[in-house]
């Protein structure tokens, strides 16, 4: 694969990145607020944009969302608490809890806060209804087919654990506990496959007709893709909207009143806003292979290991030398973890892949692009490595530390019982 000298466009520039690593060291996440605001503006046609915060859950990112009128999808008690901390009020469907199950602690908090539940199972409706009759709910429908860019992210069909298969049973429980049905939700993710999207929309319309119950909203879910690789197609958000709008209008006509159309993206809003800056610490030859080892591991950026995801890389040289694009090497890029799978260049089935990059030196910075979604939020403490700092380049281009590096002592404290 060709090395691509990534165009930082107007969101990141080399001198800003160098200033940040000089002050905070590597590895480090950097986000661009300008980029996030641009992506939000592209979805303005939808009545409500609901950010799937699991993709990037830093409270300072949530504050950007809130200031732009974006609402929140939370999938755990922790995410609800993050949204509240970022200033979201629990009323007016500002926060919706989406899940396929409750634990007791989450359930009691949701009832106390009166947060609407987007239920992915009938058992949830039973457990909620017994304790909180009349509670506002949405139904997450499994439309009996899926899509998803990977078997681990496929969200529909009988191999998916998500959503409600048989709405007639759910309706029975809704009636029993007088639950307040607000809307129907389908999260499949069609990316740029508009034919598939039409199929999803058709399912939504059919489901509304079938349940014979009034609703006020529908949600298109998330799953809008971004071009991770050069040459991949960008989503045409107007086209995306038009397809959903047609479905919404059919439903509104059928029910005889206005229907609110929500969209619930994670990746689309934040993926391109983030980079992971690492430093090259080791370059070693193993037979015919050259391994370039950087100071971030899959505990930081999980996607390549988990899904075989591809992230563009670019280089900033430590000694200000010009990058020589005619002088390239084919390398395998790995991290520091004591685990052979700690490789950023691998395919979905775990086969190692090589990447062509310019000749690099120890100390050069290697940047993984498009890591704003499912980057920091999927990080772990594996190998007792602390969570790394997060930096925001705010809309005035000033550098804000939005998460400190986790002190290793904090990890150890939890175990001093
Ligand atoms: C993860 C998730 C999303 C966001 O998915 P993206 O692919 O990041 O857009 C939206 N809705 C639900 C219910 C999700 O679980």
């Amino acid at each position: 694969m060709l090395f691509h000298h990534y165009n930082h466009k107007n969101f990141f520039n080399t001198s800003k990145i160098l200033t940040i690593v000089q002050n905070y060291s590597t590895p480090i996440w950097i986000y661009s607020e300008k980029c996030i605001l641009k992506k939000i503006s592209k979805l303005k046609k939808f009545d409500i944009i609901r950010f799937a915060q699991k993709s990037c859950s830093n409270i300072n990112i949530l504050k950007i969302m809130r200031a732009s009128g974006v609402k929140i999808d939370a999938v755990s008690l922790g995410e609800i608490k993050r949204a509240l901390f970022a200033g979201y009020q629990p009323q007016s469907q500002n926060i919706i809890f989406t899940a396929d199950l409750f634990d007791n602690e989450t359930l009691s908090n949701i009832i106390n806060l009166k947060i609407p539940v987007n239920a992915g199972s009938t058992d949830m409706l039973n457990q909620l209804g017994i304790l909180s009759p009349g509670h506002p709910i949405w139904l997450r429908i499994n439309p009996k087919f899926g899509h998803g860019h990977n078997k681990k992210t496929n969200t529909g069909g009988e191999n998916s654990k998500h959503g409600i298969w048989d709405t007639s049973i759910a309706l029975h429980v809704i009636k029993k506990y007088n639950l307040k049905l607000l809307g129907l939700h389908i999260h499949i993710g069609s990316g740029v496959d508009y034919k598939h999207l039409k199929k999803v929309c058709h399912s939504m319309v059919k489901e509304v007709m079938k349940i014979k119950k009034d609703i006020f909203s529908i949600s298109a879910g998330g799953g809008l893709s971004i071009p991770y690789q050069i040459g991949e197609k960008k989503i045409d958000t107007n086209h995306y909207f038009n397809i959903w709008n047609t479905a919404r209008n059919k439903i509104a006509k059928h029910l005889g009143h206005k229907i609110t159309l929500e969209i619930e993206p994670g990746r689309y809003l934040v993926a391109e806003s983030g980079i992971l800056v690492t430093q090259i610490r080791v370059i070693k030859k193993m037979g015919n292979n050259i391994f370039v080892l950087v100071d971030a591991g899959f505990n930081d950026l999980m996607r390549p290991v988990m899904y075989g995801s591809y992230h563009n890389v670019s280089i900033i040289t430590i000694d200000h030398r010009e990058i020589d694009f005619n002088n390239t090497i084919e390398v395998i890029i790995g991290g520091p973890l004591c685990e052979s799978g700690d490789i950023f260049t691998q395919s979905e089935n775990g086969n190692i892949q090589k990447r062509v990059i310019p000749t690099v030196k120890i100390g050069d910075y290697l940047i993984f692009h498009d890591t704003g979604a499912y980057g920091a939020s999927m990080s772990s403490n594996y190998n007792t490595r602390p969570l790394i700092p997060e930096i925001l380049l705010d809309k005035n281009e000033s550098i804000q530390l939005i998460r400190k590096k986790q002190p290793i002592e904090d990890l150890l404290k939890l175990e001093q019982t």
Side-chain angles (χ1 to χ4, degrees):
M1 250 159 282
L2 268 184
F3 177 77
H4 169 65
H5 181 57
Y6 204 88
N7 178 5
H8 299 304
K9 306 214 184 74
N10 10 30
F11 299 126
F12 304 100
N13 67 56
T14 304
S15 72
K16 268 270 153 46
I17 294 170
L18 283 173
T19 306
I20 291 168
V21 298
Q22 273 147 22
N23 286 317
Y24 299 99
S25 190
T26 57
I28 194 161
W29 305 102
I30 307 177
Y31 305 96
S32 156
E33 179 174 13
K34 276 188 186 165
C35 181
I36 295 172
L37 296 177
K38 186 177 149 196
K39 298 306 293 274
I40 293 171
S41 73
K42 291 197 181 255
L43 296 176
K44 281 287 186 224
K45 279 193 173 172
F46 287 86
D47 300 321
I48 291 172
I49 308 172
R50 187 174 296 285
F51 178 49
Q53 73 157 284
K54 71 171 191 272
S55 60
C56 185
S57 46
N58 188 300
I59 51 177
N60 300 285
I61 301 292
L62 301 187
K63 283 178 184 168
I64 295 174
M65 298 296 172
R66 191 168 75 87
S68 303
V70 174
K71 299 193 178 212
I72 285 291
D73 179 54
V75 297
S76 69
L77 179 56
E79 287 195 356
I80 290 172
K81 292 200 171 174
R82 282 181 178 280
L84 296 173
F85 198 92
Y88 283 94
Q89 301 297 312
Q91 303 83 20
S92 313
Q93 299 199 65
N94 285 316
I95 306 168
I96 290 181
F97 177 76
T98 299
D100 298 292
L101 65 88
F102 294 119
D103 56 67
N104 286 329
E105 191 188 4
T106 307
L107 179 56
S108 63
N109 274 276
I110 279 168
I111 291 169
N112 290 339
L113 292 162
K114 299 189 176 64
I115 288 177
V117 172
N118 180 16
S121 65
T122 322
D123 293 317
M124 283 179 82
L125 296 176
N126 269 312
Q127 291 158 18
L128 179 68
I130 289 171
L131 297 174
S132 183
H135 201 96
I137 59 150
W138 287 59
L139 292 184
R140 176 173 181 176
I141 310 291
N142 183 328
K144 302 183 173 62
F145 58 85
H147 199 252
H149 61 271
N150 180 294
K151 61 182 183 296
K152 288 181 190 150
T153 54
N154 180 17
T155 48
E158 62 183 12
N159 290 331
S160 166
K161 67 167 183 167
H162 293 303
I164 290 174
W165 192 267
D166 186 347
T167 40
S168 64
I169 304 171
L171 288 168
H172 188 75
V173 182
I174 288 173
K175 198 166 160 209
K176 183 171 171 193
Y177 297 111
N178 196 25
L179 296 169
K180 188 169 165 45
L181 180 62
L182 301 174
L184 295 191
H185 170 281
I186 296 185
H187 168 68
I188 289 296
S190 303
V192 288
D193 184 346
Y194 303 108
K195 232 168 102 182
H196 184 265
L197 182 62
K198 281 185 187 160
K199 218 173 117 187
V200 174
C201 290
H202 179 69
S203 275
M204 177 65 95
V205 176
K206 249 181 39 196
E207 206 57 64
V208 175
M209 311 260 166
K210 204 173 91 193
I211 62 170
K212 297 196 177 66
K213 211 170 153 44
D214 204 13
I215 57 163
F216 308 94
S217 305
I218 57 169
S219 172
L224 286 79
S225 57
I226 65 118
Y228 282 102
Q229 298 210 39
I230 314 302
E232 274 177 11
K233 264 202 208 148
K234 272 194 200 162
I235 277 233
D236 177 349
T237 48
N238 284 330
H239 193 182
Y240 210 90
F241 171 79
N242 287 338
I243 295 171
W244 270 108
N245 195 33
T246 306
R248 180 255 296 272
N249 289 339
K250 277 186 198 156
I251 291 167
K253 198 168 161 217
H254 172 73
L255 295 174
H257 60 78
K258 274 193 181 161
I259 291 290
T260 306
L261 174 58
E262 296 201 358
I263 192 154
E264 195 179 62
R267 180 185 324 282
Y268 183 80
L269 294 182
V270 290
E272 292 146 295
S273 80
I275 57 175
L276 171 62
V277 185
T278 71
Q279 187 171 43
I280 297 172
R281 305 296 302 187
V282 164
I283 302 170
K284 63 177 176 178
K285 259 194 113 182
M286 301 290 213
N288 292 321
N289 290 334
I290 303 171
F291 282 79
V292 168
L293 303 184
V294 299
D295 57 4
F298 77 65
N299 66 300
D300 302 302
L301 177 62
M302 173 85 107
R303 296 186 72 251
V305 174
M306 182 99 151
Y307 312 118
S309 307
Y310 183 101
H311 286 276
N312 278 312
V313 299
S314 63
I315 306 292
I316 297 177
T317 56
I318 185 85
D319 51 6
H320 303 290
R321 68 182 193 285
E322 286 289 318
I323 289 178
D324 181 359
F325 289 98
N326 297 316
N327 194 2
T328 57
I329 42 171
E330 213 180 18
V331 302
I332 296 163
I333 303 169
L337 299 187
C338 200
E339 174 142 351
S340 50
D342 187 24
I343 298 293
F344 292 107
T345 47
Q346 58 177 291
S347 62
E348 192 184 328
N349 52 21
N351 288 335
I352 278 179
Q353 294 190 322
K354 294 187 183 174
R355 198 70 79 87
V356 177
I357 63 170
T359 304
V360 287
K361 281 189 188 167
I362 302 294
D364 285 348
Y365 298 108
L366 187 143
I367 298 170
F368 293 97
H369 290 270
D370 306 317
T371 57
Y374 308 104
S377 68
M378 279 183 102
S379 298
S380 79
N381 289 122
Y382 188 42
N383 279 207
T384 308
R385 290 170 55 84
L387 299 178
I388 60 176
E390 292 177 284
I391 296 283
L392 178 71
L393 278 183
D394 72 13
K395 56 182 181 232
N396 306 314
E397 294 286 301
S398 69
I399 295 168
Q400 316 267 0
L401 177 66
I402 58 167
R403 185 178 69 189
K404 294 176 216 157
K405 184 172 174 174
Q406 184 179 35
I408 292 174
E409 293 69 30
D410 283 10
L411 285 171
L412 303 185
K413 249 183 227 155
L414 294 172
E415 294 160 31
Q416 293 163 25
T417 56

